[in-house]
Amino acid sequence: MSRRETARARKAVRKREASATGQGPGWTRFYRAALARIPLPLRGLRSRLVVAFVLVTMAGALSTGAVTFREARTGVLQQSQDAVIRQFRASVNTVAVYTPATPDQSQLQTAVNQVFRANQAQGGRVLATYGSLRAYTPSADFDRLTPELRRSVATRRAAVFQRVNVDGHPWLVVGMPVTYGSGYGTESRLSGLVMYLVVPQETEQAYVDAMVSAIEHATLVALGLAVVLALAAASGVLRPVRALRGATRRMAEGHLDVRLTVNGSDELADLSQSFNHTAAELERSVAELRRLEAQARRFVADVSHELRTPLAAMSAVTDVLDANAPRLDRESGEALRLISEGTSRLSVLVNDLMEISRFDAGAAELNVDEIDLADFVQHTLAARGWQGLVETHLPAPGVLRARVDPRRLDVVLANLVGNALRHGAPPVRLAMSVREERADVRWAVIEVTDNGPGIAEEAMPHIFERFYKASSSRTRSESSGLGLAITAENVHLHGGHISAANQPWGGTSFTVELPLHRDSAADDAEAEDAEAEDGGAR
């Protein structure tokens, strides 16, 4: 299986897993969108700890309160219900002994009154039915007897109860059929007489409401304690986290000697200890790298310096031999040409290394002078014989003046134009203009373009690196790879910028931007001229 097929297979597996777990692209977008709606301060670790503590406490308090309320409510109502039914059953059994099997209306009302007197302490109301006869105590209402209760009492031989709520007031309704025994060992039979007791449950409801209020207060207290505990826990957790964040920022600023104080033996202490070990190892590695880098720079500087003396002698000898080259035979002349070219390239390389070492050591300085940039560009091209090879688009003489280091600007122009001539294709163009960023910020823009094959995109980020050659897109070069690096250093030394890009129609474009500083003497002269004109106008 090829790499592409393996990557496709892995991608398909990830899609199936995301679909199975509900974490596909849609879910991810929804989660990110929901998270983005949360204010930034509420996304912190402190807020999440407080929310987690509050949710856990709320869940625990509500579940405990619900269980406690259910058990207490059941106990209160069950106790009240059992007492009512027991008293009602005893009173009905007592009255049933003296009630005829087929009572008339007056006998039915007498039975109701007797049961009412027995249950009067509970504030109940008594109702009785026998066939089509009805009897009840004052304020009794048959509307509180639901059809379900009546049907249940008509088919059972035991007490039946039901809780109803009428106009916001709770009531306990108990129905009890009167039965008569037929003899020992036989099942009792229904007499048709049914007694009902309706008892108010206001006291019990007050107990239940008091329990609900107590549970609510307890929940609020628990939530308050949860917030306090969450803040205390968050402070304990965030203290080492904040210390770690501060230490990380200091390390990012270059303070590699920063260390954390390790307290305790928990996971955060292990994290702090790991950070200290990492910081110590990083400090050791960076110190070693700096030592090796300093040693390498010193080696390059020393070697370059030591090579200058013999190279000067070799260059002098090759100059003398070049003068006598016409009198030499062909083979000796070819050997002398190779020696002369090698000496020249070696001299350029040593000079470039010396220049790089000065940049690394921070010893490079600017010797600025105010010059006319357009005139300076013409002199640079003429000194190297490039006037007929480069198309120039320059402002008129005296229009664009700047304070620059002429030697370093000459190096910048020579490297850019030389690269375009060697690696590109004609026409090579050099244009100069002014870019005004603000009223007090102006830049001189120098652009060198060629019509060659361009630079490969993968090589573009590295072209200003030392010893780098974009050989994949340019012709073979015998240079050292330091020219563009030195060019960039010189531009940055002036406070400018340099960039490179491939042109849509082919070729490469190098752009240099140098800051233009208005001369104070020129400003004074302009001010004086303005005042003179203003006075003359007045």
Side-chain angles (χ1 to χ4, degrees):
M1 183 180 292
S2 64
R3 292 184 178 178
R4 182 175 298 177
E5 294 175 348
T6 303
R8 289 178 179 175
R10 290 177 179 174
K11 186 175 182 180
V13 170
R14 286 195 297 269
K15 286 184 177 179
R16 288 196 297 270
E17 291 178 351
S19 177
T21 57
Q23 297 179 354
W27 174 260
T28 302
R29 287 194 297 269
F30 173 77
Y31 174 77
R32 291 178 178 175
L35 187 62
R37 295 190 184 98
I38 301 176
L40 187 60
L42 298 181
R43 303 182 202 172
L45 183 57
R46 182 190 298 273
S47 301
R48 285 183 284 173
L49 284 175
V50 172
V51 171
F53 268 79
V54 169
L55 291 179
V56 171
T57 304
M58 184 181 294
L62 291 179
S63 59
T64 304
V67 173
T68 304
F69 171 73
R70 186 186 64 182
E71 296 298 328
R73 180 178 181 274
T74 302
V76 170
L77 297 180
Q78 187 69 38
Q79 183 180 2
S80 172
Q81 170 189 306
D82 292 345
V84 170
I85 294 176
R86 186 166 52 252
Q87 177 67 24
F88 183 50
R89 181 185 289 111
S91 62
V92 171
N93 290 337
T94 301
V95 172
V97 176
Y98 304 102
T99 303
T102 57
D104 55 16
Q105 181 66 40
S106 61
Q107 293 171 336
L108 185 62
Q109 186 65 47
T110 300
V112 167
N113 294 335
Q114 292 176 352
V115 173
F116 174 71
R117 285 192 294 270
N119 295 274
Q120 192 173 7
Q122 298 174 349
R125 301 169 186 179
V126 181
L127 303 92
T129 63
Y130 181 76
S132 60
L133 300 178
R134 299 286 186 272
Y136 48 87
T137 59
S139 302
D141 188 357
F142 278 92
D143 292 340
R144 293 183 175 86
L145 306 181
T146 62
E148 294 81 4
L149 180 65
R150 293 184 179 185
R151 286 194 299 268
S152 182
V153 172
T155 57
R156 295 187 181 183
R157 291 175 172 81
V160 178
F161 68 92
Q162 185 180 35
R163 294 186 180 89
V164 297
N165 193 293
V166 179
D167 298 332
H169 300 282
W171 299 85
L172 175 63
V173 182
V174 183
M176 182 172 292
V178 178
T179 60
Y180 294 97
S182 302
Y184 179 77
T186 61
E187 186 178 7
S188 61
R189 61 182 176 82
L190 297 172
S191 65
L193 174 61
V194 180
M195 306 291 290
Y196 294 97
L197 176 65
V198 181
V199 180
Q201 298 281 285
E202 299 290 346
T203 304
E204 289 76 7
Q205 185 64 38
Y207 289 152
V208 172
D209 292 342
M211 285 188 295
V212 171
S213 178
I215 292 174
E216 290 178 351
H217 286 86
T219 301
L220 292 177
V221 172
L223 290 179
L225 291 176
V227 171
V228 173
L229 292 176
L231 291 175
S235 298
V237 171
L238 293 178
R239 188 179 299 111
V241 172
R242 285 194 295 266
L244 179 61
R245 180 182 60 185
T248 305
R249 288 179 177 175
R250 285 180 54 81
M251 181 178 291
E253 294 171 356
H255 302 282
L256 301 180
D257 58 342
V258 63
R259 298 292 184 273
L260 293 174
T261 302
V262 180
N263 296 318
S265 58
D266 55 3
E267 289 80 0
L268 291 174
D270 293 341
L271 180 61
S272 300
Q273 191 68 33
S274 299
F275 175 84
N276 290 341
H277 289 321
T278 303
E281 186 63 23
L282 181 62
E283 184 180 16
R284 187 192 64 79
S285 300
V286 171
E288 180 66 17
L289 289 175
R290 288 175 177 173
R291 185 186 66 82
L292 294 176
E293 183 181 7
Q295 184 177 357
R297 290 176 178 175
R298 187 168 56 252
F299 172 77
V300 171
D302 293 344
V303 169
S304 301
H305 182 74
E306 293 297 329
L307 287 176
R308 295 190 70 178
T309 301
L311 272 177
M314 293 173 60
S315 298
V317 172
T318 53
D319 290 341
V320 174
L321 293 177
D322 287 339
N324 297 323
R327 292 191 294 272
L328 298 177
D329 56 86
R330 187 177 61 84
E331 293 182 357
S332 298
E334 182 65 21
L336 178 59
R337 185 185 62 81
L338 293 176
I339 293 174
S340 179
E341 291 178 357
T343 303
S344 178
R345 288 201 304 270
L346 184 58
S347 179
V348 171
L349 175 59
V350 169
N351 290 331
D352 289 346
L353 289 175
M354 290 289 294
E355 189 72 7
I356 286 291
S357 66
R358 280 191 289 270
F359 284 120
D360 291 338
E365 296 180 352
L366 289 177
N367 296 317
V368 297
D369 190 12
E370 184 175 351
I371 62 173
D372 184 290
L373 292 181
D375 185 61
F376 183 81
V377 169
Q378 295 288 3
H379 281 293
T380 298
L381 298 178
R384 291 166 175 81
W386 292 342
Q387 283 184 314
L389 303 176
V390 179
E391 296 181 7
T392 58
H393 301 275
L394 305 174
V399 173
L400 186 56
R401 301 183 64 83
R403 293 181 61 82
V404 296
D405 187 328
R407 184 185 70 84
R408 296 188 182 278
L409 182 59
D410 180 75
V411 171
V412 170
L413 295 174
N415 283 338
L416 294 181
V417 175
N419 278 344
L421 292 174
R422 286 193 302 271
H423 305 299
V428 174
R429 303 179 181 88
L430 190 153
M432 184 178 297
S433 60
V434 177
R435 181 174 66 86
E436 187 167 347
E437 188 172 323
R438 295 194 306 268
D440 58 337
V441 179
R442 300 167 66 240
W443 299 82
V445 181
I446 303 173
E447 187 175 11
V448 178
T449 60
D450 63 65
N451 200 33
I455 300 175
E457 292 299 328
E458 62 271 12
M460 189 65 73
H462 309 286
I463 58 173
F464 294 110
E465 296 177 2
R466 300 173 184 180
F467 301 103
Y468 185 83
K469 298 181 181 181
S471 57
S472 59
S473 61
R474 292 184 179 268
T475 58
R476 181 180 178 85
S477 173
E478 297 179 353
S479 63
S480 63
L482 293 174
L484 289 179
I486 294 175
T487 300
E489 293 287 355
N490 283 319
V491 173
H492 296 156
L493 196 62
H494 282 84
H497 313 288
I498 185 171
S499 61
N502 287 322
Q503 300 178 104
W505 55 85
T508 306
S509 172
F510 284 88
T511 303
V512 174
E513 294 182 331
L514 299 175
L516 293 176
H517 304 285
R518 294 178 63 88
D519 185 61
S520 59
D523 290 341
D524 295 340
E526 291 179 2
E528 292 175 358
D529 292 341
E531 291 178 358
E533 293 177 359
D534 191 17
R538 286 203 289 269

